[in-house]
Amino acid sequence: MAINLYISRVVLNALGVEDFGIYNVVGGVVLMFSFLNGAMAAGTQRFLSYELGAENISQLNKVFNVAIFIHFFIGLAVIILAETVGLWFFNTQMNIPDARIDAARWVYQFAIFSFFLSVVQVPYIATIIAHEKMNVYACIGIFEVFLKLGVALVLSCVVLDKLKLYALLLLFVVGIITCVYIVYCRKKFNECVFQFLWDRKLFDTMASYAGWSLFGSAASMVSNQGLNILLNIFFNPTINAARAVAFQVNMAIQSFTTNFQIAVNPQIVKSYAKGDGPYMMSLIFQSSKYSFFLLYLIALPFFLECEVILKLWLNTVPQYAPIFCKLIIIDTLIGSVSNSLMIAVQATGKIKVYQIIVGTILLLNLPCSYIFLRFGFLPESTMYVCIVFSMIALCARLILLHKLIKFDVAEFVRKVLWSALKVGCISFSITFLFVMRFSIEGMMGFILIGSVSIFSSLGTIYFVGLNKEERKFIRLKIIQMCDRYA
């Protein structure tokens, strides 16, 4: 998280606000096609974890080979779409300054091939996660971050066109990481030996699953990259830079819960495959609650001191960046309790109705945001729309999961949502009262407010958010750690 934040600072300073915004909006055109990959990534992860949970080892190699075959052709399909429909959109609809249009075209081409490589690596990443080799996944992730740090440092030292160079170097980074994933998986997992094994029934099953995932992935794409392009049409690249800064911050903060959830996901699917309902429910409840707590612990101090942190982090803070940061944190906190619910639905394999309903709800972000912007509302109005629809989508997920697996919605509200609400209200009130009582500005104020917010969050999570058994478990672990290092 720390390195990613520093990278964003260096890249923003090296490129400038306008080029930084151009890179993010042009890359967003390519990411519009990522819903194809996202649909198959979810399917690959689900099928690999399910076969491992069911201990059907002979089927693993078939799943992997079918996944490789499908992902390769998805990558080719993305290249074709990006070089036709995407290129038309780039040339006719994008708001790019004339002086930077040539550099933007280079960025677009590099982004296409970076995305192709990211498609190819998905089955290998899914295999590592399905086998729960989280140490390997973490190490490769850290290695990738250091490569990106090297790119950022090189960028600040050269006198070439930095926008073109940045896109080219990121393509090399994706290529290196793809090779690392492939080499590791081929050496460690027997099923990762590519053979032309064609299983029509398995292909149809995975394709059908991916087909319904396609709608949900497309909705997510529209909610993110579609809004980015919409802001570019109504405003200019500086607004895209502000939103890009907010998403960089959000990705760094969210990395705590994202990687925690990645570790839990295979267990949820495997427990469903084994028919262990009580353990699956326990995982859903606990991971939803802990995801919120982990995110909130980092999000609260940033929310309260957003302007100060952005000034310390960036030499140039784009206009609207602070308000975008605060609103996207709220949206992510709402979404943090939904991740396990989505995985539980995927585990059942019955995703048709779920994807249609939730995907439609998320798709409404774009037309509603367009209406607000058309009537002259400020750019941040798009984030208020996202927050409202995130809450509606959460309610829909709970109702649909109840119908699929008799999920106890009332217990989830009481044990997860009510606990999260109590922790949020109490710790925020304590910190806010401290801010009102002691109006300390500058670095000293930032340190004090940050410390109070973290300690108030930790205390409230422990005494209010956790039950008696969870508090006992934490005390036991602390005692064991003290004894180990004493």
Side-chain angles (χ1 to χ4, degrees), residues 250-274:
N250 184 60
M251 286 175 61
I253 294 174
Q254 198 179 6
S255 63
F256 284 96
T257 55
T258 300
N259 289 294
F260 168 73
Q261 191 65 50
I262 286 173
V264 176
N265 291 348
Q267 283 293 314
I268 294 176
V269 178
K270 290 175 183 178
S271 61
Y272 179 83
K274 293 177 181 178

Side-chain angles (χ1 to χ4, degrees), residues 295-404:
L295 182 63
Y296 184 79
L297 189 64
I298 305 299
L300 179 58
F302 192 93
F303 185 90
L304 293 171
E305 291 293 292
C306 182
E307 290 82 359
V308 176
I309 293 173
L310 288 178
K311 287 179 181 177
L312 290 172
W313 173 37
L314 306 171
N315 290 334
T316 304
V317 180
Q319 187 183 11
Y320 293 104
I323 186 64
F324 272 132
C325 286
K326 291 181 179 181
L327 293 176
I328 200 172
I329 286 173
I330 295 173
D331 185 59
T332 304
L333 283 169
I334 296 170
S336 65
V337 298
S338 299
N339 294 326
S340 293
L341 304 178
M342 292 184 282
I343 299 302
V345 173
Q346 291 174 5
T348 67
K350 302 172 183 178
I351 61 173
K352 176 181 176 180
V353 176
Y354 172 87
Q355 294 291 6
I356 291 174
I357 294 176
V358 176
T360 301
I361 292 171
L362 295 179
L363 276 173
L364 291 174
N365 275 325
L366 192 59
C368 289
S369 296
Y370 176 82
I371 292 171
F372 276 89
L373 294 178
R374 188 70 177 175
F375 280 95
F377 282 79
L378 294 173
E380 63 265 29
S381 62
T382 58
M383 286 308 307
Y384 288 111
V385 172
C386 288
I387 290 170
V388 171
F389 282 109
S390 289
M391 291 189 289
I392 296 173
L394 173 60
C395 295
R397 290 184 180 105
L398 289 171
I399 294 171
L400 291 168
L401 195 57
H402 171 71
K403 292 182 179 296
L404 280 174

Side-chain angles (χ1 to χ4, degrees), residues 448-475:
L448 286 175
I449 293 171
S451 300
V452 171
S453 64
I454 290 174
F455 282 112
S456 66
S457 299
L458 283 172
T460 311
I461 289 170
Y462 182 80
F463 290 106
V464 178
L466 302 181
N467 57 38
K468 186 183 297 183
E469 290 76 17
E470 290 167 335
R471 289 196 292 270
K472 181 179 179 181
F473 176 81
I474 289 176
R475 289 196 299 269

Side-chain angles (χ1 to χ4, degrees), residues 4-13 17 20 241-242 244-246 248-249 302 306-318 321-322 325:
N4 267 321
L5 290 174
Y6 179 71
I7 290 171
S8 299
R9 169 194 171 100
V10 174
V11 171
L12 177 59
N13 291 334
V17 173
F20 187 70
V245 167
Q248 291 282 348
V249 170
F302 192 93
C306 182
E307 290 82 359
V308 176
I309 293 173
L310 288 178
K311 287 179 181 177
L312 290 172
W313 173 37
L314 306 171
N315 290 334
T316 304
V317 180
C325 286

Side-chain angles (χ1 to χ4, degrees), residues 125-289:
I125 298 174
T127 302
I128 291 173
I129 295 173
H131 283 276
E132 300 184 60
K133 298 294 184 181
M134 299 306 167
N135 57 335
V136 175
Y137 179 76
C139 288
I140 296 176
I142 293 170
F143 177 57
E144 182 178 6
V145 168
F146 274 105
L147 287 178
K148 290 181 178 178
L149 175 61
V151 168
L153 295 176
V154 168
L155 204 64
S156 62
C157 299
V158 299
V159 293
L160 302 172
D161 189 316
K162 295 181 180 181
L163 185 56
K164 294 180 183 178
L165 181 63
Y166 182 54
L168 175 62
L169 292 178
L170 285 185
L171 173 59
F172 280 121
V173 170
V174 176
I176 292 170
I177 295 301
T178 301
C179 291
V180 171
Y181 277 123
I182 292 174
V183 170
Y184 177 82
C185 288
R186 286 177 64 88
K187 287 187 175 181
K188 296 296 182 179
F189 306 124
N190 293 330
E191 67 267 23
C192 292
V193 177
F194 181 72
Q195 307 172 54
F196 192 77
L197 296 177
W198 183 252
D199 188 320
R200 179 60 183 271
K201 183 179 180 181
L202 178 61
F203 175 83
D204 290 344
T205 302
M206 293 181 68
S208 174
Y209 186 97
W212 290 114
S213 296
L214 192 64
F215 189 74
S217 298
S220 179
M221 176 274 295
V222 170
S223 299
N224 290 289
Q225 299 305 324
L227 289 178
N228 201 25
I229 294 170
L230 194 63
L231 288 170
N232 178 262
I233 293 172
F234 276 92
F235 300 99
N236 54 59
T238 59
I239 299 298
N240 296 114
R243 192 171 185 269
V245 167
F247 270 81
Q248 291 282 348
V249 170
N250 184 60
M251 286 175 61
I253 294 174
Q254 198 179 6
S255 63
F256 284 96
T257 55
T258 300
N259 289 294
F260 168 73
Q261 191 65 50
I262 286 173
V264 176
N265 291 348
Q267 283 293 314
I268 294 176
V269 178
K270 290 175 183 178
S271 61
Y272 179 83
K274 293 177 181 178
D276 192 349
Y279 181 57
M280 179 184 178
M281 293 298 174
S282 175
L283 283 173
I284 295 171
F285 278 62
Q286 291 182 337
S287 60
S288 296
K289 185 167 68 171

